[in-house]
Amino acid sequence: MKVTVTANGPLKKYLAGTHTVELEKGSDLRDLLANLAVPGDSVSLLVLNGQKATIGQELHDGDLVTIYPPVCGG
Amino acid sequence: MGLKFISDNCIGCKLCQLACTGVKDANFNPSQARLSVTSYYSRDQLCVTGRVCTLCGVCVEACPADAISLTGNALHYNFELCTSCNICVETCPEKVIVACSEGVAICDLCGGEPNCVKWCPHQALVYREVV
Amino acid sequence: MSYQNCVLRINLAGKTSAKEPLQQQWAANYLGGKGLGIKYLYEELKPGTDPLSPGNKLMLLTGPFTGTIVPCSGKLALIAKSPATNTILDCSIGGHIASTLKYAGYDAVIIEDKAQEPSYILIDNDAVDILPAGELWGKGSHTTETLLLKTYGHDAKVLSIGPAGENLLPMACISSDYYRQAGRGGIGAVMGSKNIKAIVVKGSGSVAAANMPELINKAHHFLREDLLTDTNLWAYTDGTPMIVDLAQATGILPTNNFQSGTFDGYGSLNAEAVRKTRFGKKGCFSCALGCGNFSRMANTRVEGPEYETLALCGSNCGISDLEAIIEFNRLCDDLGLDTISAGNITAFAMELTEKGIKDFGMRFGDIREYLTVPAKLAYRDGSGAELALGVKELSKRYGGSEFAMHVKGLEFPGYEPRGSWGMGLAYATADRGACHMRSWPVASEAFGDVDPYTAEGKAQLVIGLQHYNAVKFSTILCDFWALSLETMAEMLTLTTGNETSAAQLEEIGERVVNIARLFNQREGFDRNNDTLPERIFNEYITDGATAGKNLPRGDFEKMLADYYAIRGWDTDGKVPGSKIASLSL
């Protein structure tokens, strides 16, 4: 299945623009992150199809994933 | 090798000026730094200016006491010979020579590892071959 | 070391000033900034003082890190009794003024009484003058700053109020560097009530740390290894607009006066949208992150908009037009208005209108009326005369108190508590009213792994964050560097020469929170004031990721009871004598 990933903020240096990643059926967000060259510590929030997701959440064909760095303060 | 200021990268934090006086003068006083950066709003623009020693050598020529020399690609200042006339301060085209209570402060590129470059967070100051 | 050991005390009525030594014991116990300022005000201010009377004091505080190479140490603390809430008020302003004040030779400035005529204060190193404001009075903050910089040179730094401060609005702010503010609680009105239009500072002295070479080495190490990392660089790459995306995805983006937590138009005011209008980046003195985004569109520009403005003046008003928000922001900055409160009062007026309770002629999403609000407020013009009251007082007049989104009279910042229950506790227990800067549990709840919809563990979470921010804002470091107390302690030891540990910093944080609480207690505040608007307890978020959520009153009461218990306060939320003694308040 194919999933589209975008990185935000300083994570763009690992993953510029939008990427399509091929994954095995039944893969979850943990599997996706393992596929990307983004350090685990640098990822704070995972957003799947516009909503907050957990790392173990299963992915489906055509999903849109956005990854965010930690943010302190507002 | 010389200093170059890249205004597009400068956020005006002045960590460079803090590093300069912190290391050279053992206190923090940006107004006494041997380089200067300013980021300010003027009308509808954000203006960023930076002045660094360009090794132009005008101070060397101008000094009546031969207290400044340019050797090994850096300026050398001899406090013993300085008469505090401040002609170098006035003639420096970049205005980066600082008048002190006694003598002056001149950028000497920190012996080849400029502290301002070391501290700049976003590569607005680089130390590279001068063309 | 690193202190100037000098406090400048200015009496405006007598037009006199004097230097006095810094209270050493207080500096040891409270460090500087927020904590030291609150301690000074607690000791000097008579309880029951009207915040807009000459009896109130306006204090400017630097900290031990101010003026040194410690990165992100460029902020100034401003302390007074709040005209909006009658609580203690401490604000924080960035730009370049804090270090300049320290280089002028002062740890703090205490401004007392009231000038006989509109004036400005000039602090030029040793020389202090109170001069007639003349034509400056009546001008916007931006023109005021331009004129003063023209007179005194670009090395001078300026604090100024706009017409909102002159007209004593409870949401008036103080500005510097054009686009930085000491925003909340009516701090600008305190300055206006003293007939002070501006404070101009020139400082050409120096600051020295106890151990210069080691501090420089250590601070550089932290700069590279701890500050310029993916944890903090969001502030540089995007700035606070990044939070729009996070809040939208987690359903806590205030929409239509906190009726919803998701906004259809969010894509027009998120990080990507703001980036497209960005023409430059600007940072405060000593800050490596440079969070300021200089945004320019056809007919307007601002350094910003920050998340709070995008949320409270954008989605919260149903406005998705970025150019309109930038213009609203620019108007607020120039007129000297807190955008958080201005956005809230606008949204409240929109809901009152739409519900047929009181017609202010404004509806959610109506750009035309929306853009008239800042001037109406600042000049108390037309409906502005009533809007200037703020949501608490306006709701007393017309109703709608269930959805007047404030705590103690200070309007809500941009995080929907029903989607992040710890934030509800944070708002209710913050010292100056609804504030996100005392603790920000959103980071671990909505944006992290902690369950947002439970009362369990929230008191401990909020307390820890309150201590951390309290001590951080006393050393003075900026919110956006997520450093540990250990790192802070290492740098503080090298800066002052006094051996300091993370545990000691935690205790100082607790002390600062408690002295603030004691101040409020003395002004008559207790558990009854630690509450939230009815909307949070009884209404459900209308749609989006947090649809159907509320914060049940029982859960709120549990968080609050836990909070008092862990803090060692009594069940009325009061600080007992034993606590006062054990913390040496």
Side-chain angles (χ1 to χ4, degrees), chain A residues 21-67:
Chain A
V21 180
E22 284 251 23
L23 291 167
E24 300 273 303
K25 227 178 138 108
S27 295
D28 60 20
L29 280 162
R30 190 175 281 114
D31 299 322
L32 174 64
L33 285 182
N35 246 283
L36 304 171
V38 182
D41 282 346
S42 297
V43 180
S44 171
L45 187 71
L46 295 161
V47 173
L48 175 59
N49 299 327
Q51 293 210 10
K52 177 181 175 182
T54 53
I55 192 108
Q57 214 157 317
E58 197 182 312
L59 293 165
H60 302 94
D61 191 48
D63 275 345
L64 295 167
V65 178
T66 322
I67 59 176

Side-chain angles (χ1 to χ4, degrees), chain A residues 9 13-14 42 52 68 70 72-73, chain C residues 230-231 238 245 249 445-446 448 479:
Chain A
K13 65 175 175 283
Y14 306 112
S42 297
K52 177 181 175 182
Y68 290 91
C72 170
Chain C
D230 291 338
T231 299
D238 291 78
D245 300 279
E445 287 183 316
D479 197 31

